[in-house]
Each structure stands twice: as structure tokens, then as C-alpha cells.
């Protein structure tokens, strides 16, 4: 099993990411951390950590600072950045400091699964040891190129779909299209379109709220809470 440390300042996001990791065969969550200091402590105290899923925006330090400190302390643990930081400077710095992958939030399960499966392929390739011919080198570097997330229906954005999905997952009860729009910053019509897609694919359930007069309001709840 590949032992994973999930680091994110938002405890809910950390739980979701940990649940995603556990769904990928061959991976196990060794622990969670919600700050730079806690992440470094987990690396010192957990029996084994093979991979860190590392957020950049932490309350006490940046994720890149964590990587620097890891290396200073002699930890060669692999790192995949999982963060909303999308400026080129941060991406370039992560690459230069040895992050193997960089996954931009928000993302769906398929996006993280692709990165983890690519990482597992890389480990299998490296475990062979010995000397590498050019074809072997190409295969090693090719293992880092995870396939992109499966496509949505034409006209749908993966980023918007993930925003709507995360809003439903984090909600304490059913939400209307307008409430989703307010939380995500998209229009009500766009929110409605993505909510209908989630309903059709069985990931959200439609409920009706009846008022004093007029048509009932359509409200949606994440399927696991239905």
C-alpha cells in the first residue's frame, strides 16, 4: 500500500480528499494535517509516509515552505501539490522544488484518481531498479503525465461542475439553484444546468419545497445525504 499524508487547512476538504484517496486501489491514508507545523510533525511521527498531498495555502506557512523544510530535514517523501494556487510562479516553484504533480482546485474525484494512478505507475517503474536506457527514462517521465479528467457533456466546464458539487457536499441541507449560484458565483441558470446533470447521473437528489402559493421550489441534496 502507498501511505498518503493529506494536508489541507480546511478540515472538510481534507476529509473529502482523504475519502478520495481511500477509493483508489493501492492507496491508504496514513494521516491528515491542517497546518505546516502539523504536517511536519506527522512526517516525523507516522510509521511511514510515501506521498504527501499538500495544499499551498496553510495558516502558518505555505506548502512550498513545507517542502523546503522537508528536504532540509532529510525527508525525501514524494509530494503532489493539491491547491487553489494557480499563478505560474507558484507552479514553477513547486516544480523546481520537486513536486511530482500539481492538481488545481477545485477538482473531481477522477482528476485526483488520475494523478494517483500515474504516481503508482511511476513507483512500479522505479521499483525495477538497475540501469535505464532511453526508453526506460521516457517511460519514467511519461508516468508523471496523468491523463486528464474524463470529459463532461458538451458545453460543461469541469471547474464549474466541481464548484457545484463541492457546494452540495458541504451543505447541511438541500439547496436551491439560486443558493448554489450565490455560493459559487455562477448564474442561477448555470447552477440549474449543473444541478440537473448531477441529478441525472445519480449524484444529487431533487426535493421540492412547497410555499404558500405558486410552484414548488426545486432544491437539491447530495446523494449520500438523501
Amino acid at each position: 500500500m502507498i501511505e498518503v499524508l493529506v494536508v489541507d487547512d480546511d478540515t472538510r476538504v481534507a476529509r473529502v480528499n482523504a475519502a478520495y484517496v481511500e477509493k483508489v486501489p493501492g492507496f491508504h491514508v496514513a494521516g491528515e494535517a491542517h497546518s505546516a507545523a502539523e504536517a511536519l510533525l506527522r512526517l516525523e511521527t507516522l510509521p511511514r509516509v510515501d506521498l504527501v498531498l499538500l495544499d499551498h495555502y496553510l495558516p502558518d506557512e505555505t506548502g512550498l515552505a513545507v517542502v523546503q523544510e522537508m528536504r532540509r530535514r532529510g525527508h525525501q517523501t514524494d509530494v503532489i501539490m493539491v491547491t487553489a494556487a494557480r499563478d505560474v510562479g507558484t507552479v514553477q516553484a513547486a516544480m523546481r522544488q520537486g513536486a511530482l504533480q500539481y492538481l488545481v482546485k477545485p477538482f473531481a474525484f477522477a482528476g485526483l484518481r488520475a494523478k494517483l494512478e500515474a504516481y503508482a505507475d511511476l513507483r512500479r517503474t522505479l521499483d525495477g531498479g538497475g540501469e535505464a536506457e532511453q526508453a526506460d527514462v521516457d517511460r519514467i517521465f511519461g508516468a508523471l503525465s496523468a491523463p486528464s479528467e474524463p470529459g463532461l457533456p458538451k458545453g460543461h466546464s469541469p471547474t464549474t461542475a466541481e464548484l457545484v458539487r463541492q457546494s452540495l457536499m458541504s451543505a447541511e441541507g438541500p439547496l436551491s439553484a439560486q443558493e448554489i449560484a450565490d455560493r459559487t458565483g455562477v448564474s442561477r441558470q448555470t447552477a440549474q444546468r449543473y444541478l440537473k446533470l448531477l441529478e441525472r447521473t445519480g449524484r444529487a437528489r431533487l426535493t421540492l419545497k412547497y410555499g404558500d402559493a405558486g410552484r414548488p421550489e426545486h432544491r437539491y441534496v447530495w446523494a449520500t445525504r438523501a
Side-chain angles (χ1 to χ4, degrees), residues 9-221:
D9 68 316
D10 189 319
T11 56
R12 293 177 301 175
V13 172
R15 285 197 298 269
V16 170
N17 290 348
Y20 280 173
V21 170
E22 292 283 0
K23 290 171 65 176
V24 181
F27 288 83
H28 175 257
V29 175
E32 295 180 22
H34 311 297
S35 68
E38 189 178 5
L40 292 167
L41 178 62
R42 292 284 185 272
L43 284 168
E44 298 287 353
T45 57
L46 287 170
R48 190 177 103 235
V49 176
D50 302 306
L51 174 67
V52 181
L53 294 186
L54 182 60
D55 189 14
H56 182 60
Y57 297 120
L58 299 171
D60 49 350
E61 278 288 1
T62 66
L64 293 181
V66 172
V67 177
Q68 291 174 338
E69 182 62 17
M70 285 170 55
R71 302 308 182 223
R72 191 190 71 80
R73 296 185 184 186
H75 295 294
Q76 299 304 315
T77 309
D78 294 324
V79 174
I80 294 178
M81 300 296 293
V82 179
T83 176
R86 60 184 67 211
D87 60 283
V88 174
T90 301
V91 175
Q92 186 180 53
M95 177 182 66
R96 286 175 173 171
Q97 292 179 29
L100 294 180
Q101 288 279 8
Y102 198 105
L103 185 59
V104 177
K105 295 178 181 178
F107 55 86
F109 167 62
L112 180 58
R113 180 181 62 195
K115 301 295 186 189
L116 294 179
E117 289 175 345
Y119 174 73
D121 287 341
L122 173 64
R123 286 180 62 96
R124 283 193 291 270
T125 301
L126 294 177
D127 284 346
E131 295 186 347
E133 301 294 338
Q134 185 61 53
D136 300 315
V137 174
D138 291 342
R139 187 167 62 252
I140 289 169
F141 279 89
L144 294 174
S145 303
S148 52
E149 197 172 311
L152 290 163
K154 186 177 180 180
H156 288 73
S157 160
T159 299
T160 304
E162 182 63 15
L163 284 172
V164 173
R165 188 187 69 83
Q166 290 283 1
S167 294
L168 275 186
M169 288 186 67
S170 62
E172 296 182 356
L175 296 175
S176 67
Q178 185 59 58
E179 288 169 328
I180 289 289
D182 293 341
R183 291 181 177 214
T184 60
V186 303
S187 69
R188 182 188 179 282
Q189 291 76 14
T190 297
Q192 185 69 57
R193 186 155 56 98
Y194 283 84
L195 287 167
K196 287 182 177 179
L197 174 63
L198 289 173
E199 182 196 1
R200 287 198 303 270
T201 56
R203 296 198 287 171
R205 185 170 69 90
L206 172 65
T207 65
L208 299 177
K209 180 181 179 182
Y210 292 89
D212 296 333
R215 298 173 59 185
E217 181 183 39
H218 288 199
R219 299 175 70 82
Y220 296 83
V221 63

